[in-house]
Amino acid sequence: MRTLIDRRGLALGLGLIAGALALPAVGHAQEAGVDLAKAKAEGKVVWYTSTPIEQANKLAKLFEQQSGIKVELFRSGGSAILRRFNQEVSAGRIAADVLTTSDPAASNIMAEQGLFVPFKPVDFDKIPDTAKDKDGNWIGQRLNLITIYMRGDKVPAAERPKTWTDLTAKTFDKKLVMTDPSFTSLQLSVVGTLSEKLGWDYYKKLADNDVMVVQGNQQVSDNLKRGERLIAVGALDSYAAEDRASGHDIVTVYPADGTFVIPSPTAVVKGSPNPEAAKAFATFMISLDAQKIFPADGGYAARSDIDPPAGSPKIADLVIIPVDYAALEKKAAEVKDEFNAIFR
């Protein structure tokens, strides 16, 4: 497996495991109308994704083991992935076979533009309607919970924020860190929704608290572990779970005024170089074997028949803030511009 990560300029490799037998998850591809003989003849699938790098590598390696098909992985932040993909589309050079982002609004636009192959793999019905396109243009790979999390050893229980608006208190001056919606698609959904719900004054008050803005969720996690900032504002909670598993004292707050639950769309790209391998990989992505990787790493699977990660609440037990993806489609550029005007 060849992995390219643009923000680090780093190439990592995991070799193809020769002679691996096709396991049931890949066997389902045949049932879904995938020509596995052609997929194997194509020999590889090119995957553009914003999936956290360790999870992406696990998925790619498992698919290689089960199918014998090589995965070429390009991983970056959701907005950066979309920029690269759209630039290649505009230039008439489709390089990606499968696209996974965390931006349902952008995926809906691309579906309307005819950039995806409608495809309903085996177990399509196991993905909730809110986490897929009804025609199969995209299917949720995982569910992303966006929460508030913090250093439990540095923020006493009595002082921890309970709502999004609590974060504007001067108590949290110079203690906050969050991601940039121009780089991270998940944050675009959060900022677009909260700016509508609470007004842009909410973000101006956060700016008055000298919130640090970093590119992505890994930087948020690293920042807290170093103690440079203590509280993550609207960040991907699977990083908090992973840090807890590594022994860090990280506490998650599911805000009383609502948690964001945002699917990560996976789509088969129309006109891609390896169309059958793309369908095989998309089928694999929602298989039980693949989906179990997410709760094992502290995240949430897209499938409704898989339990949440150990020690985490069920989605049904949370207050959820709905995201109007249709509205977000129209105002994404405006949201980024307004955010940049406040924080830069």
Side-chain angles (χ1 to χ4, degrees), residues 161-188:
K162 296 179 176 61
T163 66
W164 296 102
T165 51
D166 284 351
L167 295 165
T168 62
K170 293 310 291 182
T171 308
F172 303 117
D173 187 44
K174 295 181 174 60
K175 295 180 181 178
L176 308 176
V177 59
M178 66 180 177
T179 58
D180 185 343
S182 293
F183 185 83
T184 304
S185 298
L186 289 170
Q187 185 71 316
L188 178 61

Side-chain angles (χ1 to χ4, degrees), residues 74-93:
F74 176 79
R75 192 271 169 194
S76 189
S79 294
I81 287 290
L82 286 170
R83 280 195 297 272
R84 176 177 175 131
F85 177 73
N86 285 321
Q87 286 168 357
E88 292 173 347
V89 169
S90 297
R93 296 194 303 269

